[in-house]
Amino acid sequence: MAIDEIVDGLSEVSCDVLVIGGGTAGPMAALKAKLKNPKANVVLLEKANVKRSGAISMGMDGLNNAVIPGYATPEQYTKEITIANDGIVDQKAVYKYAQNCYGIIEELDSFGIRFLKNENGDYAVKKVHHIGTYVLPMPNGETVKKALYRQLRRARILISNRYMATRLLTSSDGRVAGAISVNTRTAEMLVIKAKAVILCMGAAGRLGLPTSGYMFGTYENAANSGDGYAMAYHAGAKLANLECFQINPLIKDYNGPACAYVAGPFGAYTANNEGRRFIECDYWSGQMMLEFFNELQSGKGPVFLQLKHLHDKTIEEIEQTLHKVERPTRGLFQQGRGVDYRHESIEMHISEIGFCSGHSASGVFVDDFARTTVPGLYAAGDMASVPHNYMLGAFTNGSVAGIDAMEFADNHDFAEFDAADVAAERERVMAPTRREDGIPPNQIEYKTRRLVNDYLQPPKVTRKYELGARRLAEVRQDAEQRMIARNAHELLRALEAQSILDCADMAVHASLFREESRWGLYHLRTDFPDKDNENWFCHTLLGKRDGKMVSEKRAVEPYIVPIAEEEKDLYDKQRIAVGA
Ligand SMILES: Cc1cc2nc3c(=O)[nH]c(=O)nc-3n(C[C@H](O)[C@H](O)[C@H](O)COP(=O)(O)OP(=O)(O)OC[C@H]3O[C@@H](n4cnc5c(N)ncnc54)[C@H](O)[C@@H]3O)c2cc1C
């Protein structure tokens, strides 16, 4: 049998807790669930291979948001993230993360993941954020995935690689009942009944097209095609603040950061084509991205990461991390371009758009126990709504989700689902394989993402969004009626293309709903150019009602860490005045 020949089969298994997505949050969720109840069955389902999947597949340069005693307190961190995210934060979840993350760092350390320490053996944290000090470098961060995988094997977690989850199953009273998945090598379908399900499928990273022109040259791990967002939506979960897009400053034509988080503490900085600093702080926020965008528009672009003023030895040390840990291709890329940081600054650009709470705030709505609005369904990591979460947030909230989900599973039996839902999903999934001729998935995906760039990339213009919605509906018609999949691999791509379309529709809907501008470039609406705290100091929740997309407002929970009036707009004051 050819490796990706289509096999029309369906089987069913069951477990207590099903974790979908084996990148960062997923392994930790599975581990913690299993440790909570070693007798229970925990399944970790992954589209790729857990050994090398997700955003941290090759390693990570550091923890961007470590709250380490002696450097920062949970209160300071909660305040910083509240201000960085323009006030739209349910602080309880952020505060809980800030309280728990130090314990997780110690645990990761005990797994063999190495963090930078000073001569006294204390963690050596660096300042990158606007106010506080939270960045903990990982000079040996290439080992992170390996160390994590060892723990999964030790705890005897059942790992199902090469299974792409496509839809969640729910009972008539709205509880989660399991998930449906497809083998990416054979196209056989697998139904997994579960008492609780944890979604850890990462960001929606294949929404826009990257400037490099490569469809898979995205900032995010390219397997993260927004399936988690789409699945949560179709299962009736609410999604928060999707209009708060992820947009990052990247190396031009390369799918990685420049990276001021690594090089900044050594003295590097973001500069315009005159070599001048124009932003005070290199920590990624919507306002920082707006200043970046303004500089590009002003004729003072391109924007660069400037290192050439640094000593040779310092640059060598920076290269040791930047070229070896998180993106080992980076050195080769710069070499290919003939760029030596000693002589030339690194050209940067604005990334494609996506959804991601890890860097921004767009995610499936969760509370401080990682619970979504569907009973028994949890979400953690980049696809859950806790803002500016990053890798440590994925680990920490993955841990919270794992423990709470196992408690839920211990106290509930399996929920019943309707067999007709499985049959309907089987029809949807297999439809592209049953056509003789038609449009291949890569063309559907390319067209969707080109439209996303044409119509949805901020600044957001109402008229463009309305036209974009119409064009996307035409692509959807093509996808539903004419897309073909000639082997199992193409079927995976066809399913991903449908998730991307769902995410594009959600991006339009959420953006048109919030009639103001907020989060700098992330939600800059030319028709509503000002921030409107009177009407829009709230979350927006997007959901599905009677088969239709709807949005509603949700009040921001009262702060547990108060923010003084004069502190609220600290992140708005990023621009360095000319002559300063
Ligand atoms: C280039 C880059 C650099 C970064 N640098 C840093 C840094 O230096 N410091 C820091 O703190 N943070 C950094 N981050 C952020 C951090 O890596 C992420 O926030 C974190 O890893 C997200 O974890 P996650 O589990 O949500 O997603 P991921 O780790 O991406 O895992 C998602 C997993 O879900 C799987 N999946 C997706 N869809 C399906 C499906 N349908 N069925 C089954 N499985 C599926 C994917 O294959 C993947 O394995 C960086 C991110 C990127 C992309």
Side-chain angles (χ1 to χ4, degrees):
M1 186 183 81
I3 195 155
D4 46 9
E5 191 180 304
I6 290 171
V7 179
D8 199 354
L10 181 126
S11 42
E12 188 178 302
V13 294
S14 62
C15 64
D16 296 291
V17 174
L18 170 66
V19 182
I20 309 177
T24 315
M28 187 58 103
L31 188 63
K32 290 298 174 137
K34 185 71 181 171
L35 294 177
K36 170 97 185 133
N37 181 356
K39 288 200 189 116
N41 273 334
V42 177
V43 170
L44 178 57
L45 191 90
E46 166 60 47
K47 189 192 230 180
N49 186 320
V50 175
K51 268 189 187 167
R52 274 278 182 232
S53 65
I56 61 170
S57 57
M58 300 307 287
M60 208 37 60
D61 290 343
L63 298 175
N64 288 347
N65 50 346
V67 184
I68 302 213
Y71 287 98
T73 63
E75 286 75 15
Q76 284 168 336
Y77 178 80
T78 304
K79 187 185 275 194
E80 177 115 24
I81 297 307
T82 305
I83 300 169
N85 203 47
D86 248 335
I88 311 295
V89 168
D90 280 347
Q91 287 189 339
K92 242 181 170 176
V94 178
Y95 189 72
K96 186 164 172 179
Y97 157 78
Q99 281 182 313
N100 290 343
C101 72
Y102 184 62
I104 297 287
I105 297 173
E106 289 187 309
E107 210 166 330
L108 294 171
D109 204 333
S110 75
F111 293 171
I113 299 168
R114 295 280 159 259
F115 302 100
L116 190 69
K117 293 188 177 153
N118 61 23
E119 55 281 3
N120 302 323
D122 299 327
Y123 293 119
V125 194
K126 310 285 180 198
K127 184 172 187 308
V128 175
H129 291 63
H130 205 44
I131 311 167
T133 303
Y134 309 104
V135 173
L136 179 57
M138 292 164 63
N140 303 107
E142 74 275 9
T143 56
V144 56
K145 203 65 191 180
K146 226 187 237 172
L148 209 54
Y149 192 70
R150 258 199 314 268
Q151 298 302 318
L152 296 177
R153 302 303 297 176
R154 184 173 296 168
R156 298 180 185 277
I157 309 284
L158 298 166
I159 297 174
S160 288
N161 287 319
R162 309 280 174 209
Y163 274 96
M164 173 185 181
T166 64
R167 285 288 183 269
L168 290 163
L169 288 163
T170 50
S171 59
S172 55
D173 61 353
R175 228 188 89 191
V176 80
I180 305 177
S181 65
V182 180
N183 186 298
T184 63
R185 294 275 163 87
T186 65
E188 283 166 291
M189 296 186 70
L190 177 68
V191 173
I192 307 135
K193 286 172 62 176
K195 295 173 184 166
V197 177
I198 309 175
L199 302 177
C200 301
M201 283 176 269
R206 246 160 68 209
L207 193 49
L209 277 177
T211 52
S212 65
Y214 295 118
M215 280 171 70
F216 290 79
T218 48
Y219 170 75
E220 286 297 340
N221 161 45
N224 294 348
S225 44
D227 310 333
Y229 287 79
M231 283 168 60
Y233 168 73
H234 290 295
K238 298 278 167 61
L239 296 100
N241 303 318
L242 295 183
E243 65 279 14
C244 180
F245 291 171
Q246 162 174 249
I247 309 173
N248 296 330
L250 302 186
I251 299 180
K252 175 90 168 63
D253 303 335
Y254 180 75
N255 56 345
C259 161
Y261 290 15
V262 170
F266 289 96
Y269 54 84
T270 309
N272 61 20
N273 70 23
E274 295 166 351
R276 216 174 48 76
R277 270 194 102 129
F278 60 95
I279 40 175
E280 292 220 354
C281 165
D282 285 324
Y283 179 68
W284 296 359
S285 65
Q287 195 58 34
M288 182 269 196
M289 280 316 300
L290 182 58
E291 295 302 352
F292 193 120
F293 171 80
N294 287 340
E295 203 68 6
L296 290 179
Q297 300 299 307
S298 74
K300 296 217 176 91
V303 166
F304 300 92
L305 181 69
Q306 192 137 307
L307 291 97
K308 58 186 181 190
H309 56 289
L310 301 177
H311 191 278
D312 259 12
K313 287 270 175 238
T314 309
I315 294 184
E316 215 173 279
E317 208 177 328
I318 293 171
E319 282 172 338
Q320 278 303 315
T321 303
L322 287 185
H323 293 181
K324 297 223 157 47
V325 182
E326 181 180 295
R327 287 285 188 275
T329 52
R330 181 192 167 126
L332 289 173
F333 173 81
Q334 300 291 18
Q335 206 182 8
R337 283 220 156 153
V339 171
D340 181 338
Y341 307 149
R342 288 152 194 84
H343 311 296
E344 210 178 317
S345 299
I346 305 166
E347 186 187 350
M348 294 162 76
H349 203 65
I350 290 180
S351 76
E352 63 281 0
I353 66 164
F355 295 148
C356 177
S357 68
H359 299 84
S360 177
S362 32
V364 175
F365 178 79
V366 290
D367 67 9
D368 49 323
F369 289 93
R371 298 170 186 157
T372 71
T373 52
V374 170
L377 182 65
Y378 294 75
D382 281 357
M383 63 163 292
S385 64
V386 185
H388 294 236
N389 229 327
Y390 291 100
M391 175 171 59
L392 190 54
F395 282 135
T396 308
N397 293 330
S399 159
V400 168
I403 294 167
D404 205 73
M406 185 51 85
E407 247 169 57
F408 185 93
D410 284 344
N411 291 306
H412 291 81
D413 206 345
F414 290 102
E416 290 298 325
F417 58 87
D418 189 342
D421 292 343
V422 176
E425 178 58 359
R426 194 173 185 188
E427 272 313 297
R428 182 187 80 89
V429 167
M430 298 309 279
T433 69
R434 303 213 164 107
R435 295 184 187 113
E436 287 289 307
D437 197 8
I439 310 170
N442 59 356
Q443 293 194 26
I444 296 283
E445 177 176 340
Y446 180 80
K447 187 162 180 185
T448 306
R449 294 172 63 192
R450 189 181 58 81
L451 291 172
V452 165
N453 277 28
D454 289 350
Y455 291 104
L456 310 191
Q457 183 88 22
K460 303 179 182 179
V461 180
T462 305
R463 187 78 187 107
K464 278 174 75 176
Y465 265 64
E466 288 165 353
L467 279 173
R470 278 171 51 190
R471 299 287 166 265
L472 288 166
E474 290 157 11
V475 184
R476 183 177 290 279
Q477 217 174 12
D478 281 347
E480 286 174 359
Q481 295 171 9
R482 299 173 59 200
M483 184 158 57
I484 47 161
R486 291 159 294 198
N487 53 49
H489 183 74
E490 266 193 358
L491 182 60
L492 152 83
R493 295 286 177 244
L495 292 164
E496 289 179 339
Q498 292 173 66
S499 297
I500 294 168
L501 263 170
D502 283 344
C503 289
D505 282 350
M506 289 193 268
V508 172
H509 197 275
S511 296
L512 288 177
F513 183 67
R514 187 180 281 278
E515 295 187 330
E516 64 155 357
S517 286
R518 189 175 290 272
W519 301 296
L521 187 63
Y522 299 164
H523 183 65
L524 178 64
R525 281 196 71 175
T526 51
D527 305 280
F528 303 96
D530 299 320
K531 202 184 287 184
D532 177 1
N533 280 332
E534 204 173 308
N535 295 301
W536 290 100
F537 189 81
C538 61
H539 301 279
T540 62
L541 293 188
L542 181 146
K544 192 177 182 182
R545 196 182 305 141
D546 302 327
K548 290 232 164 63
M549 214 172 266
V550 289
S551 283
E552 62 192 284
K553 293 181 179 182
R554 181 181 184 278
V556 172
E557 292 289 322
Y559 287 164
I560 49 178
V561 178
I563 312 285
E565 205 46 47
E566 64 276 13
E567 290 175 317
K568 282 185 177 151
D569 61 351
L570 276 182
Y571 265 73
D572 289 349
K573 297 169 183 160
Q574 297 269 349
R575 181 156 281 274
I576 297 175
V578 180

